[in-house]
């Protein structure tokens, strides 16, 4: 398989149209994160002139994205200015999660990520074009369920995925160089954005799960081991779009052989299916022993990453009965024991196990960022 490489973005001179798009996004992002504001408050917040902001607000109001909600309540001197707010139901995103076993999950989400409709479709053992056809079928069903304008399609998929929404490789579905974003956009007439499933989950933790940091990592043990990395509020994908590949880091010298050809890799030690196999038939004390050892293995892998990047949050995803308790506690203790005290003390490790909407929300976030610039 030829490994894809990220190309540096070409620099071009900004046009008047570029400035307008940038300023529209600036106004939308400000209102999205700060809530309703008057035109004069928006102008002060974004550093644009009052006439420019008035024109932008009128434009966005004409697009149906902003609505006038009237004056601010409360006792104030003089005539109160009317407040502008984003209409959360002005448009919807069709979001898909392709990571679940045996099925594709989908939802119609408003601009705040609230689900107004859901659908799913089984894929059983479908691969290649048959699996891709199941994806398009689910998008068609979601589009029928959408109550109005569709802003775009967002997809979280397993695999190595480029910035153009091409699935370069997804072994589970036998996809190679599948232009999924372009195909969905052409079929349904709206923009489509596709990202790796754990990467979009990390974005969802940052944007929708009250992360109090700009440096975080989301780790899943659901099907193998994967990690999504956020540094400085930005997703880190790597030059080959494979950043976060921690499953095949050696954590046990001369450990058991791994399918990758190395020995003592992290993935066989903490993957949910293999953990369950080792837990079978054990009593409570035996379960604690196995989960504690697995957590320690994860902590050994995470300690240098946490130190180098000064991570402030690590969120663990997967089955709650495996993640929560001894596994999480052991991982956190190991990271703290192996890092410089100020770094370890600033790190929060938490469970988001069982949060089934993370990938859907992250996929929607790709659309919100790409089409509205609200992140």
């Amino acid at each position: 398989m030829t490994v894809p490489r990220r190309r540096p973005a070409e620099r071009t001179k900004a046009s008047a149209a570029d400035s307008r798009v940038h300023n529209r996004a600036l106004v939308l992002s400000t209102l999205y994160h700060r809530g309703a504001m008057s035109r004069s408050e928006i102008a002060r917040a974004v550093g644009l002139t009052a006439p420019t902001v008035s024109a932008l607000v009128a434009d966005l109001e004409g697009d149906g994205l902003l609505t006038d909600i009237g004056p601010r309540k409360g006792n104030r001197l003089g005539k109160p200015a009317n407040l502008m707010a984003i209409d959360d139901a002005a448009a919807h995103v069709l979001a898909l999660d392709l990571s679940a076993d045996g099925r594709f999950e989908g939802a119609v989400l408003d601009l705040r990520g609230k689900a107004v409709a859901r659908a799913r479709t089984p894929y059983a053992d479908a691969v290649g074009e048959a699996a891709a056809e199941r994806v398009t079928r689910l998008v068609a069903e979601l589009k029928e369920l959408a109550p109005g304008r569709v802003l775009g399609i967002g997809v979280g998929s397993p695999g190595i995925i480029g910035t153009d929404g091409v699935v370069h490789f997804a072994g589970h579905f036998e996809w190679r160089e599948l232009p999924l974003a372009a195909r969905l956009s052409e079929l349904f007439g709206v923009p489509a954005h596709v990202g790796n499933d754990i990467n979009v989950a990390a974005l969802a933790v940052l944007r929708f799960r009250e992360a109090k940091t700009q440096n975080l990592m989301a780790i899943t043990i659901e099907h193998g081991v994967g990690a999504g990395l956020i540094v400085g509020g930005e997703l880190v994908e790597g030059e080959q779009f494979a950043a976060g590949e921690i499953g095949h880091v050696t954590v046990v010298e001369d450990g058991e052989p791994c399918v990758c050809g190395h020995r003592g890799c992290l993935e066989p030690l903490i993957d949910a299916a293999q953990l369950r196999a080792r837990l079978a038939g054990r009593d409570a004390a035996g379960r604690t022993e196995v989960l504690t050892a697995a957590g320690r293995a994860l902590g050994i892998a995470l300690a240098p990453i946490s130190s180098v990047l000064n991570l402030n949050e690590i969120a663990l995803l997967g089955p709650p009965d495996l993640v929560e308790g001894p596994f999480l506690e052991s991982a956190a203790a190991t990271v703290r024991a192996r890092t410089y005290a100020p770094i370890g003390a600033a790190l929060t490790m938490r469970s988001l196990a069982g949060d089934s909407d993370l990938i859907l929300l992250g996929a929607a976030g790709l659309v919100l960022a790409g089409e509205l610039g609200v992140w």
Side-chain angles (χ1 to χ4, degrees):
M1 180 183 70
T2 302
V3 179
R5 296 180 72 89
R6 181 183 299 278
R7 296 178 182 272
E10 295 183 4
R11 295 190 175 187
T12 57
K13 183 179 178 181
S15 65
D18 292 333
S19 296
R20 177 177 170 275
V21 170
H22 171 79
N23 290 339
R24 275 173 56 101
L26 193 58
V27 170
L28 282 171
S29 183
T30 300
L31 290 171
Y32 194 90
H33 293 289
R34 298 193 189 185
M37 301 171 74
S38 68
R39 289 169 177 79
S40 61
E41 289 170 335
I42 296 170
R44 287 194 295 271
V46 301
L48 297 173
T49 66
T52 298
V53 167
S54 291
L56 289 167
V57 166
D59 185 32
L60 291 166
E61 209 175 358
D63 283 350
L65 293 171
L66 297 189
T67 185
D68 187 326
I69 62 172
R72 182 181 283 111
K73 292 180 171 58
N75 297 323
R76 287 178 174 239
L77 295 176
K79 182 180 179 182
N82 282 12
L83 302 177
M84 303 305 300
I86 290 178
D87 182 356
D88 296 340
H92 293 82
V93 176
L94 311 182
L96 282 74
D97 173 2
L98 309 186
S99 70
D101 270 339
R103 68 187 187 280
F104 296 145
E105 298 280 352
V108 180
L109 306 178
D110 71 10
L111 297 182
R112 293 285 173 182
K114 178 182 177 182
V116 299
R118 294 180 184 269
R120 63 169 55 174
T121 186
Y123 67 81
D125 56 355
V127 294
E129 280 300 318
E133 174 58 31
R134 301 292 175 92
V135 174
T136 59
R137 193 183 307 170
L138 180 57
V139 174
E141 184 177 353
L142 291 171
K143 193 172 184 183
E144 288 295 317
L145 294 173
R149 172 185 171 190
V150 173
L151 180 66
I153 302 163
V155 181
S157 169
I160 297 174
I161 300 168
T163 52
D164 53 1
V166 173
V167 182
H168 294 293
F169 178 72
H172 187 64
F173 300 126
E174 296 182 11
W175 289 342
R176 288 175 173 79
E177 304 305 324
L178 174 68
L180 186 57
R183 178 180 295 189
L184 294 177
S185 183
E186 181 179 354
L187 285 172
F188 297 100
V190 295
H193 299 263
V194 181
N196 170 268
D197 51 359
I198 187 59
N199 283 346
V200 301
L203 288 171
V205 174
L206 177 70
R207 297 168 177 174
F208 293 99
R209 290 297 182 260
E210 300 179 352
K212 296 178 174 61
T213 178
Q214 295 293 293
N215 285 10
L216 65 85
M217 178 180 278
I219 297 169
T220 180
I221 65 168
E222 187 82 50
H223 309 294
V225 177
L229 179 62
I230 307 288
V231 176
E234 299 291 335
L235 179 67
V236 177
E237 294 180 289
E239 193 159 342
Q240 282 78 39
F241 308 101
E245 179 53 72
I246 64 170
H248 298 286
V249 171
T250 299
V251 292
V252 179
E253 293 294 337
D254 298 321
E256 295 297 318
C258 179
V259 293
C260 73
H262 296 295
R263 303 179 71 92
C265 289
L266 177 64
E267 184 167 304
L269 299 174
I270 69 170
D271 166 64
Q274 299 198 50
L275 264 181
R276 290 201 190 283
R278 295 203 301 279
L279 289 169
R282 292 180 178 264
D283 59 14
R287 285 180 59 86
T288 297
E289 181 182 355
V290 169
L291 293 171
T292 298
R296 184 174 184 276
L298 176 59
I300 290 170
L302 291 180
I305 300 170
S306 176
S307 292
V308 169
L309 298 176
N310 192 189
L311 296 179
N312 289 114
E313 180 173 324
I314 297 174
L316 300 186
L317 286 58
D321 64 311
L322 299 180
V323 169
E324 294 169 358
F327 179 79
L328 174 58
E329 293 162 7
S330 177
T334 302
V335 172
R336 293 194 178 96
R338 288 171 170 259
T339 53
Y340 185 47
I343 293 175
L347 175 66
T348 297
M349 291 190 69
R350 62 167 166 157
S351 168
L352 287 176
D355 191 336
S356 59
D357 280 349
L358 275 180
I359 293 173
L360 293 173
L361 288 168
L366 295 179
V367 178
L368 293 174
E371 303 308 314
L372 299 183
V374 299
W375 293 107

